């Protein structure tokens, strides 16, 4: 009698236990904390909110980021990619939301635009996921590489202090603290203990914060101010206002966010080594858009996958979605317990910047690994990669490049990720599609990313 073959457990379904889930999950939260609070800080300040109201916006963003992460990682039928993807407030919509406010709009008008645009994205999700055939390695490799490269300036800003208006901006002490954090990470990764290597980021952040405290570079004074526990209120900033111009603007942003989320899902699938097909991408996009549609009810904004956490998955090798689900639970807790959020917020930006150098670089390396699968004997592929990455670097190198272009151009190309994605897809169709050329496509049939998702 033939021995029965036991079903193989997918890497993302690995169970690590409560203790490891919490430790690795906290590491994810610390990695993306600065990014998730940035948007409510910017929008709240532009809307003229009081500090306490901005704090409420931040708490709502933490809460909804956690809810969205749980939906994305655990999922239910037709919703959730069930991959280790951390969700949070998207930075792609900041310029558009600021434009709505600065042209006489209000925060409720922003919320109304986000709700309608997200519902539109939810309707488009199954159709958008069918574009997966336009994402062969020559495209995904370029996009994943650009995700890493476009995040490097973020870590540089963190290293310099995070706030250009602060008197300590670019202070050598900030740079020294970041380098100390980076050195600890490198040192820990030289050990033979796999657990220490996987927790290197978390340990380095704690050590970096302690070093900063020794030199008076940490401010814990605000930890005790404000509420200890607070439940989110529905429509606490007023009922949503639906303005057609604002809705159209946010709908364009939604398409950009869906493109970036698709790239992030493919990137995580590549790093984890698990099949990603149209259905899985569609489930991931539905989780994104459903969370985004609900977010304004609690005072938050459009949700998306956080690229910096893709780098953490790549560096640590921890592929379990339950680790990230734990991170989601921590975010929900931070949203309900503002005091814990204030503790985490006390971590100096240079400490985050030192960790970001390796984290974001790891994403770029994952993209380079994908690009290694491309056949460069076909000159077309070399042109696609070179052009897509170069165009993607334009807004990274100079964010004023598209300043005098029409608003829809700025919306589509303000991000290096979306710039690279759009360029790579169009060039791949032009050079490798059977409609335009008879040459062999950029990948063989065995490399196509249309594998079955069970």
């Amino acid at each position: 009698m033939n021995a029965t073959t036991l079903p193989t457990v997918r890497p993302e379904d690995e169970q690590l236990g409560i203790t490891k889930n919490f430790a690795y999950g906290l590491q994810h939260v610390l990695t993306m904390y600065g990014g998730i609070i940035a948007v409510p800080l910017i929008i709240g300040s532009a809307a003229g909110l009081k500090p306490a109201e901005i704090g409420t916006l931040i708490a709502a963003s933490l809460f909804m980021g956690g809810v969205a992460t749980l939906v994305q990682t655990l999922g239910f039928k037709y919703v959730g990619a069930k991959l280790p993807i951390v969700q949070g407030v998207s930075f792609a919509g900041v310029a558009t939301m600021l434009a709505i406010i600065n042209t006489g709009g209000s925060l409720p008008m922003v919320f109304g635009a986000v709700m309608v645009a997200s519902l539109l994205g939810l309707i488009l999700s199954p159709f958008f996921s069918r574009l997966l055939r336009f994402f062969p390695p020559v495209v995904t490799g370029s996009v994943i590489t650009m995700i890493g490269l476009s995040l490097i300036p973020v870590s540089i800003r963190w290293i310099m202090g995070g706030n250009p208006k602060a008197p300590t901006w670019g202070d050598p002490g900030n740079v020294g603290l970041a380098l100390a954090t980076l050195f600890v990470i490198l040192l820990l990764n030289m050990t033979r203990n796999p657990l220490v290597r996987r927790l290197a980021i978390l340990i380095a952040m704690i050590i970096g914060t302690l070093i900063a405290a020794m030199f008076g570079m940490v401010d814990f004074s605000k930890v005790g101010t404000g509420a200890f526990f607070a439940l989110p209120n529905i429509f606490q900033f007023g009922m949503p206002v639906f303005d057609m111009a604002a809705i159209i603007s946010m709908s364009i942003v939604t398409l950009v966010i869906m493109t970036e989320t698709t790239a992030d899902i493919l990137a995580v699938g590549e790093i984890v080594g698990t099949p990603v097909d149209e259905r899985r991408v569609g489930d991931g996009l539905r989780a994104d858009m459903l969370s985004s549609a609900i977010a304004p009810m609690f005072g938050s904004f459009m949700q998306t996958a956080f690229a910096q956490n893709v780098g953490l998955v790549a560096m640590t090798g921890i592929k379990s979605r339950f680790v990230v689900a734990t991170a989601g639970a921590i975010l929900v807790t931070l949203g309900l317990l503002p005091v814990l959020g204030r503790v985490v917020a006390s971590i100096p930006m240079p400490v985050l910047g030192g960790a970001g150098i390796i984290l974001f670089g790891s994403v770029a390396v994952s993209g380079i690994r994908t690009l290694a699968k491309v056949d460069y004997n076909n000159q077309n592929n070399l042109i696609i990669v070179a052009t897509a990455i170069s165009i993607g670097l334009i807004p990274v190198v100079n964010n004023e490049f598209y300043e005098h272009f029409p608003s829809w151009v700025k919306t589509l190309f303000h991000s290096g990720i979306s710039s690279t994605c759009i360029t790579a897809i169009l060039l791949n169709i032009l050079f490798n599609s059977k409609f335009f050329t008879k040459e062999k496509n950029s990948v063989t049939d065995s490399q196509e990313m249309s594998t079955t998702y069970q």
Side-chain angles (χ1 to χ4, degrees):
M1 184 173 65
N2 295 331
T4 57
T5 303
L6 294 176
T8 302
V9 177
R10 298 181 305 184
E12 66 271 27
D13 293 333
E14 183 183 4
Q15 297 280 1
L16 300 179
I18 296 176
T19 303
K20 290 183 178 179
N21 281 350
F22 179 79
Y24 296 141
L26 179 60
Q27 193 168 234
H28 272 286
V29 171
L30 295 178
T31 299
M32 54 86 72
Y33 192 88
I36 200 170
I37 69 174
V39 175
L41 276 172
I42 295 171
I43 301 301
S45 299
L49 299 184
K50 298 177 181 178
E53 293 174 319
I54 294 177
T56 302
L57 270 186
I58 292 174
S61 294
L62 291 169
F63 177 79
M64 272 310 306
V67 171
T69 299
L70 289 169
V71 172
Q72 188 70 273
T73 53
L74 301 180
F76 49 93
K77 192 171 183 180
Y78 304 126
V79 179
K82 296 183 180 179
L83 284 168
I85 298 174
V86 177
Q87 299 281 117
V89 179
S90 172
F91 218 92
V94 169
T96 300
M97 290 188 288
L98 285 176
I100 294 172
I101 292 173
N102 293 334
T103 54
S106 60
L107 203 54
M109 187 179 293
V110 169
F111 289 143
V114 170
M115 291 181 71
V116 176
S118 300
L119 290 173
L120 176 63
L122 185 62
I123 295 172
L124 293 177
S125 293
F127 306 100
F128 201 90
S129 64
R130 294 176 185 174
L131 299 176
L132 192 61
R133 63 182 179 275
F134 296 112
F135 287 86
V138 70
V139 174
T140 57
S142 299
V143 174
I144 296 170
T145 301
M146 184 49 58
I147 290 175
L149 294 178
S150 64
L151 287 171
I152 295 297
V154 176
S155 65
I156 300 301
R157 286 194 294 272
W158 288 349
I159 288 173
M160 296 181 72
N163 182 8
K165 298 181 180 179
T168 57
W169 172 255
D171 187 89
N174 290 339
V175 178
L177 182 57
L179 290 177
T181 305
L182 176 61
F183 176 76
V184 172
I185 295 173
L186 296 175
L187 195 63
L188 293 175
N189 274 280
M190 294 173 65
T191 65
R192 295 184 178 181
N193 189 321
L195 180 61
V196 172
R197 291 199 301 270
R198 288 174 173 177
L199 285 173
I201 300 293
L202 176 59
I203 296 172
M205 285 184 179
I206 294 174
I207 293 176
T209 302
L210 292 176
I211 294 173
M214 291 171 56
F215 290 93
M217 299 174 66
V218 182
D219 181 14
F220 291 111
S221 62
K222 298 180 181 179
V223 172
T225 60
F228 181 86
F229 175 84
L231 286 171
N233 296 319
I234 304 297
F235 296 125
Q236 53 195 331
F237 293 98
M239 294 299 292
V241 175
F242 302 104
D243 177 79
M244 185 56 66
I247 290 171
I248 292 174
S249 298
M250 283 306 303
S251 296
I252 296 174
V253 172
T254 300
L255 296 177
V256 175
I257 291 175
M258 292 176 74
T259 301
E260 293 184 354
T261 297
T262 299
D264 285 330
I265 292 173
L266 293 173
V268 171
E270 185 76 19
I271 292 168
V272 171
T274 193
V276 174
D277 63 356
E278 291 182 9
R279 175 184 167 187
R280 201 166 200 182
V281 171
D283 290 349
L285 289 174
R286 275 187 285 272
D288 233 18
M289 293 297 106
L290 181 61
S291 301
S292 296
I294 296 173
M297 295 174 59
F298 296 95
S300 188
F301 310 99
M302 195 163 281
Q303 306 292 304
T304 190
F306 262 51
Q308 49 262 54
N309 292 86
V310 176
L312 187 58
V313 174
M315 181 184 170
T316 63
I318 301 299
K319 305 172 181 178
S320 172
R321 60 191 173 99
F322 300 109
V323 165
V324 175
T326 304
I330 294 173
L331 285 171
V332 170
T333 304
L334 289 174
L336 297 176
L337 298 175
V339 63
L340 295 182
R342 293 192 291 271
V343 171
V344 177
S346 299
I347 297 175
M349 282 294 176
V351 171
L352 295 174
I357 290 293
I358 291 183
L359 290 175
F360 304 157
S362 298
V363 180
V365 170
S366 298
I368 293 170
R369 187 185 300 130
T370 302
L371 287 174
K373 301 176 182 179
V374 177
D375 178 16
Y376 292 103
N377 291 321
N378 180 351
Q379 184 72 10
N380 292 343
N381 293 328
L382 180 63
I383 294 173
I384 293 170
V385 174
T387 306
I389 291 180
S390 296
I391 290 179
L393 281 171
I394 291 175
V396 176
V397 174
N398 189 338
N399 57 14
E400 297 179 354
F401 185 86
Y402 297 107
E403 188 65 29
H404 300 292
F405 284 72
S407 58
W408 66 269
V409 175
K410 289 191 289 185
T411 300
L412 289 176
F413 291 95
H414 84 286
S415 162
I417 300 171
S418 58
S419 298
T420 300
C421 191
I422 293 170
T423 303
I425 289 174
L426 293 178
L427 289 181
N428 184 59
I429 293 173
L430 179 63
F431 283 108
N432 291 324
S433 172
K434 63 182 180 180
F435 296 106
F436 294 95
T437 178
K438 294 182 180 180
E439 290 188 32
K440 183 181 178 181
N441 198 283
S442 60
V443 287
T444 60
D445 291 340
S446 61
Q447 290 176 312
E448 289 194 5
M449 305 184 71
S450 57
T451 49
T452 303
Y453 166 47
Q454 299 178 348

